[in-house]
Amino acid sequence: MIVKNLYDDVIGTSADVESAQWNSRRLLLAKEGMGFSLHDTLIKPGEALHLCYKNHLEAVYCIAGEGEIVEKKNGLTHPIREGTVYALNEHDAHILKANKGVGMRMVCVFNPPVTGQETHDKDGSYAIALTE
Ligand code: 9YT
């Protein structure tokens, strides 16, 4: 069994990955052997992320804050608030926007799992891990 605490075991470690637009606290990674990774991610207020996870499937559950997600293929915009989940089941190109003010706190699951230090490529994806 694996038991961790965000505050005791993740924040301030190599699994606490900061970018200009978000802070991803990676609770479970490829090395834990679960077949997915689990992140507690803060999207910074007012940021708009252009993403397309061509190598991964991602599900995202908002537990705080507000924003929206735009599907690039058709321009459809979906509001996001606490309790909203979205699943990028078609590796969907999208824009994730956090409202100004408090940003958003999201629980993210990646399949296959990320290894720990991934940040976005120019095309908004993470590279595929060659070994787990
Ligand atoms: C929701 C989302 O895709 N945010 C970007 C960061 C990423 N999910 C991560 O690594 O936690």
Side-chain angles (χ1 to χ4, degrees):
M1 183 182 295
I2 301 162
V3 180
K4 292 188 189 183
N5 179 278
L6 173 69
Y7 305 99
D8 295 341
D9 304 314
V10 177
I11 290 176
T13 72
S14 61
D16 181 1
V17 180
E18 181 88 28
S19 87
Q21 295 183 303
W22 47 263
N23 175 206
S24 176
R25 293 90 58 90
R26 295 173 175 170
L27 294 152
L28 296 172
L29 291 164
K31 66 183 178 191
E32 267 92 24
M34 296 294 291
F36 58 85
S37 57
L38 179 67
H39 314 187
D40 180 329
T41 298
L42 304 172
I43 310 295
K44 299 183 183 180
E47 294 295 339
L49 285 62
H50 290 251
L51 303 172
C52 182
Y53 292 114
K54 63 186 177 192
N55 299 315
H56 296 84
L57 298 172
E58 186 196 23
V60 179
Y61 182 58
C62 178
I63 57 172
E66 292 186 358
E68 62 186 31
I69 183 167
V70 182
E71 297 185 56
K72 281 193 175 175
K73 73 176 177 200
N74 54 22
L76 278 178
T77 299
H78 310 274
I80 297 175
R81 60 184 171 87
E82 180 184 333
T84 304
V85 64
Y86 65 84
L88 303 169
N89 59 323
E90 296 181 329
H91 304 277
D92 314 69
H94 62 286
I95 308 169
L96 179 63
K97 299 179 181 173
N99 287 357
K100 293 183 178 145
V102 293
M104 290 189 290
R105 185 174 179 190
M106 327 286 276
V107 176
C108 312
V109 177
F110 276 81
N111 170 21
V114 307
T115 60
Q117 291 303 302
E118 288 89 346
T119 55
H120 295 116
D121 296 340
K122 281 192 172 55
D123 60 2
S125 71
Y126 290 153
I128 190 80
L130 297 177
T131 55
E132 285 186 14

